[in-house]
Amino acid sequence: MSKCLYLAKGMLLAVMLSCANLYAQDQIPFHTQKYSLDSRATVQTLQATAQGTEDGQSGARFEQVIQVPGANWLRLEFGDHDLGESGYIVLTSSEDGGRQRMDAGALVNYRNRSAFFNGDTVILQLFDQAGSADIFITVTDIYFGLPGDREKAQPLQRPALDQPHKQDALVIQPEEICGSTDDRVAASVPRATGRFVFFDPANNYIAKCTAWIAAYGIHFSAGHCFQRVFEGDPELMEFDVPDSDANGDPNFADPEDQYPVDVANFDAVDDRNENGLGDDWAVFRVNANSNSGLRPIEGRNNYFHMAKPADVSVPSITISGYGIDTGTANRTLQTDNGPYLGETGSGSVVYLEYQVDTRSGNSGGPVISGSASATPISLGIHSHAGCDADNGNHGTSFENNALESAAEAVGHEFVEGLMGRSFVDIRYVDAGHPIATTAELGTMLRPYDTVTEAVNAVPSDGAVMIAPGDYSGPANTFVLGADGRSMFLVSPGGSVTIGN
């Protein structure tokens, strides 16, 4: 077994690392290097430079160049720190200028780890708006990838029905190509489909699925993608993922487009299932990006409507996601459209079937009715293989009762978190939802299309959750509290226009 030696610039530290490990198809290996950095040991006031200024300040209190020569990407683990109320750090990639600002709250949301940075060098700077002498930051570990650290795409093989893409599987998973060729193409829309990154430092691998933003600021993926989330590893959703390198090595999105999953509020029992075909789903919340302070629905300004297949027209199915491929397309957002074969099951085991090309890594993606558009409709969550000339690939339908209940519960928690108080009930509004007026119930999957309907239906001390959109005109004119009921009107983000 070969050994590799890596040195961090400015540090008398070297670590011997194994360069030949075997990983399953969906496990992308990475490496860990211990790193001993304490800003208190070398507190300094730097001269203002292009990299040493931030938000009008004259210079950083501390700066360190952190480098692992030849690495594809870096991520830092932070140890003891005290940034107080006014301190923060700035991390900048020397390769592409990707930048992340982190204050004390961001360190909590990101589980004391940075975003992923492309390239082999990151500049860490410590700033303090109040000039406190007590702030400090420490770095304990560097995580990094090397050229060739990726899963290897396997030759096409015919899958067994009901075969999911297990992200921690110890065997090569079957492919999900329906015909003799892979018909996926690069996707420009929707902006609401993200790459979900699972990071496991205990075993030194990354696994990647697909996840997406729903109308009310919650998010969905496949249950088997989340099997280790509740053990405490931070998860990220990233958008606008760039092309991979020519050899297939994936690159990461700009830190501005990386969002930490809210692991603290994820219930491993109630918020996901991985019980096989028709019952493989996860619903979760995502914290704000540390640069923008925005959640995905705000930062992306886009989302999926959610619907049951029986309530809408389904002319065909589109699957968008970050499946494996060769070359620069590997783990980038691609899409394919094909025939919808129908829905099977009832209760809490209901699956959709469709002849649409996907690959490992597409798990968790939206099952889109028709062709992808700027504001598409998702009927469920892609999860399983099975495609051939007669059968299709599969996803869990929103007809699954447990999935619908979990979505409503997480949506309720999200509204209460936004407002900092509890509500007896919530009514949902989505002006762009295609459901017929006669089928509207004010639920997440069957929302009202006017705010007035929700205001009239919500009980006192309830909330009306409004998806971004235009609610102008007479149908959305009302007087709050006219009958003595108290209520709150809430939007998860984006532009909402109500009334005349």
Side-chain angles (χ1 to χ4, degrees), residues 40 78-84 103-104 107-108 112 134-138:
R40 292 169 296 188
F78 303 105
D80 292 341
H81 60 271
D82 184 356
L83 298 181
D103 58 17
L107 287 172
V108 172
N112 288 334
D134 298 327
I135 67 168
F136 71 94
I137 189 75
T138 67

Side-chain angles (χ1 to χ4, degrees), residues 73-74 93 96-100 114-119 193-197 208 236-244 250-259 289 291 300 322 331-332:
W73 58 264
L74 301 179
S93 165
D96 58 16
R99 169 188 170 279
Q100 183 181 28
S114 72
F116 291 87
F117 291 88
N118 295 318
T193 306
R195 188 167 70 181
F196 170 82
V197 181
K208 299 181 181 181
L236 293 172
M237 280 184 72
E238 55 177 340
F239 302 86
D240 287 343
V241 174
D243 285 348
S244 297
N251 291 306
F252 288 95
D254 189 281
E256 186 89 14
D257 296 311
Q258 298 181 37
Y259 297 80
N289 177 270
N291 289 356
R300 305 301 298 167
Y322 296 83
R331 296 290 188 180
T332 62

Side-chain angles (χ1 to χ4, degrees), residues 215-216 408 411-412 415-416 423-431 440-467 471 485-492 498:
Y216 303 105
E408 293 273 356
H412 198 125
V415 174
E416 292 183 338
F423 295 102
V424 297
D425 203 357
I426 297 175
R427 295 293 185 271
Y428 293 90
V429 185
D430 184 355
E440 294 175 357
L441 298 175
T443 62
M444 190 175 285
L445 295 178
R446 290 173 172 161
Y448 295 122
D449 61 357
T450 69
V451 180
T452 301
E453 291 173 288
V455 167
N456 291 337
V458 70
S460 185
D461 205 27
V464 175
M465 185 66 156
I466 308 170
Y471 300 88
R485 287 179 299 131
S486 63
M487 67 188 70
F488 286 77
L489 304 186
V490 186
S491 175
I498 302 175

Side-chain angles (χ1 to χ4, degrees), residues 290-480:
S290 63
N291 289 356
S292 65
L294 302 177
R295 296 181 179 87
I297 194 170
E298 300 167 302
R300 305 301 298 167
N301 195 29
N302 209 300
Y303 59 88
F304 285 92
H305 305 284
M306 299 167 289
K308 298 182 178 184
D311 292 336
V312 296
S313 172
V314 188
S316 61
I317 292 293
T318 295
I319 302 292
S320 292
Y322 296 83
I324 63 170
D325 206 334
T326 57
T328 59
N330 186 41
R331 296 290 188 180
T332 62
L333 184 59
Q334 297 189 87
T335 188
D336 186 34
N337 176 268
Y340 174 50
L341 303 185
E343 182 181 67
T344 301
S346 61
S348 291
V349 180
V350 189
Y351 64 86
L352 306 164
E353 188 172 3
Y354 34 84
Q355 289 183 317
V356 181
D357 287 345
T358 65
R359 296 289 293 274
S360 179
N362 275 98
S363 286
V367 180
I368 305 168
S369 176
S371 300
S373 62
T375 53
I377 306 159
S378 178
L379 308 176
I381 302 163
H382 174 69
S383 61
H384 284 67
C387 207
D388 59 23
D390 301 313
N391 301 295
N393 292 319
H394 303 81
T396 300
S397 171
F398 277 123
E399 292 282 3
N400 181 307
N401 292 340
L403 171 56
E404 181 177 8
S405 295
E408 293 273 356
V410 174
H412 198 125
E413 293 168 359
F414 178 61
V415 174
E416 292 183 338
L418 283 177
M419 302 304 295
R421 53 154 296 164
S422 61
F423 295 102
V424 297
D425 203 357
I426 297 175
R427 295 293 185 271
Y428 293 90
V429 185
D430 184 355
H433 200 283
I435 192 172
T437 303
T438 55
E440 294 175 357
L441 298 175
T443 62
M444 190 175 285
L445 295 178
R446 290 173 172 161
Y448 295 122
D449 61 357
T450 69
V451 180
T452 301
E453 291 173 288
V455 167
N456 291 337
V458 70
S460 185
D461 205 27
V464 175
M465 185 66 156
I466 308 170
D470 184 0
Y471 300 88
S472 59
N476 285 290
T477 302
F478 50 86
V479 178
L480 287 177

